[in-house]
Amino acid sequence: MKVSIDGLNKAFESRIRLGIMSALAVNDSLDFNSLKEFLDVTDGNLASHLKALEKEGFVQVEKSFIGRKPNTNYTVTALGLRAFQAHLAVLEQLILKNKNAK
Amino acid sequence: MKVSIDGLNKAFESRIRLGIMSALAVNDSLDFNSLKEFLDVTDGNLASHLKALEKEGFVQVEKSFIGRKPNTNYTVTALGLRAFQAHLAVLEQLILKNKNAK
């Protein structure tokens, strides 16, 4: 039996990135603090993973002001959503195979 | 909505480790070359991930001879199987949540 891991996207290997993509796929958009709260990670850790996903074109950043306070909002791009769903589909196959095993 | 990534095991983040665990969960035992063929990875890459999983106590190594040729066999441990299944269960939840989204 061949195990297909080819379809798994390296960009989503980290569980923090999985969490970011999952949160952004489910919510229309999230600001930095909400994401941080959702995922229970440090600022630096979250920022670096968000930057990586932005670089891939999977996440879009929008800076604005709420009153005088700067606010950074993140949304998933169409490209990111497709890539994430393709990744999840491969994971799902892997899970299915393991359910039918041992 | 809180995204749970706490249950995701860092030991299984790499897709190669996911592939190794999946292959070993599905097959009673596999030798190095079969694993290599399954996963389409280099010797060094596979060896280092196998070593990491062995260190966690998730994979067991057995060295033997087939005729005069040394043969290294890998099996998943009970601990490894439980940890892997727990990891997959969290992934499955994440997938489910994303299916009900957008």
Side-chain angles (χ1 to χ4, degrees), chain B residues 2 9 12 20 32 44 50 54 73 77 82 85 87 96:
Chain B
K2 177 115 178 86
N9 198 322
F12 304 134
I20 291 170
F32 190 86
L50 279 169
E54 194 192 342
N73 250 293
T77 63
R82 272 200 306 275
Q85 281 167 346
H87 181 81
L96 268 176

Side-chain angles (χ1 to χ4, degrees), chain A residues 25-93:
Chain A
V26 171
N27 297 278
D28 278 339
S29 100
L30 288 171
D31 62 19
F32 190 86
N33 286 329
S34 308
L35 268 174
K36 199 187 139 186
E37 202 178 292
F38 275 160
L39 300 170
D40 201 18
V41 284
T42 62
D43 281 26
N45 206 351
L46 178 57
S48 87
H49 284 298
L50 279 169
K51 187 132 276 173
L53 290 170
E54 194 191 343
K55 223 172 168 179
E56 298 274 353
F58 293 162
V59 163
Q60 205 172 320
V61 187
E62 229 168 285
K63 295 188 188 250
S64 63
F65 282 84
I66 296 181
R68 277 190 227 165
K69 262 184 128 180
N71 189 265
T72 312
N73 250 293
Y74 297 88
T75 49
V76 66
T77 63
L79 178 71
L81 199 59
R82 271 200 306 276
F84 186 54
Q85 281 167 344
H87 181 82
L88 294 187
V90 178
L91 281 180
E92 196 175 19
Q93 284 310 307

